Amino acid sequence: MRVLAIDTALEACSAAVLDTELGTIVAHESLPMLRGHAEALLPLIARVMDRAGLEFAALDRIAVTTGPGSFTGLRVGIAAARGIALAAGKPAVGLSTLAAYAAPLIAADDTLPVVVAIDARHDHVYLQLFGPGGRTIVAPRLAPLREALRAAASGAPRLVGTAATMLAAAW
């Protein structure tokens, strides 16, 4: 399956073409940015598709992060994914930013817990805890740092996300 993946949730504008049958990233690009996703995303996607040597009709699916993240960035990414999917006649699927962070760690070893934390500012984080097999133990939520520390205290979890360092330091 060929998937165009789009991420505009946080401090980057990113796209990649994945070939799940080969287990490879065919082409990708990511630009660090706080603002300007709307102007940067479609030219970035065009470059990624050109490097992949694919037309949009050759894709099987369009995937996009759905948050948490910057409201404007999320709207830009979701709108682009939806527009491309409609034009290409392909399905669009959403993936939470928290699940996107956890996925590589779960794929590498699904026996260990994964705590994903994204900085929500003011000593709060967006948090989700995944257990064995990628099962949700703590549902996605906005949590004070202290609550996140309690959730993360179970069973030597792997920490990932923009607030992972913040959690580790407070631990």
Side-chain angles (χ1 to χ4, degrees), residues 121-127 141-150 166-167:
R121 301 189 182 119
H122 310 294
D123 289 329
H124 283 72
V125 297
Y126 296 107
L127 171 78
R141 68 182 67 196
L142 175 64
L145 186 57
R146 286 184 182 162
E147 182 183 324
L149 288 169
R150 283 192 301 273
M166 185 170 76
L167 269 180

Side-chain angles (χ1 to χ4, degrees), residues 10-22:
L10 300 173
E11 297 175 356
C13 183
S14 306
V17 173
L18 313 157
D19 187 323
T20 63
E21 291 173 16
L22 298 175

Side-chain angles (χ1 to χ4, degrees), residues 63-133:
V64 64
T65 50
T66 59
S70 156
F71 180 70
T72 302
L74 290 169
R75 288 187 329 180
V76 167
I78 292 168
R82 182 77 174 127
I84 292 166
L86 285 170
K90 305 298 177 174
V93 296
L95 177 70
S96 82
T97 308
L98 299 166
Y101 265 112
L105 295 174
I106 293 167
D109 181 352
D110 72 350
T111 65
L112 298 173
V114 176
V115 174
V116 183
I118 296 174
D119 190 355
R121 301 189 182 119
H122 310 294
D123 289 329
H124 283 72
V125 297
Y126 296 107
L127 171 78
Q128 186 168 2
L129 173 59
F130 296 88

Side-chain angles (χ1 to χ4, degrees), residues 20-44:
T20 63
E21 291 173 16
L22 298 175
T24 61
I25 297 172
V26 179
H28 65 92
E29 185 174 339
S30 183
L31 300 172
M33 62 177 54
L34 296 173
R35 291 182 172 77
H37 293 82
E39 296 80 12
L41 182 60
L42 290 178
L44 184 144

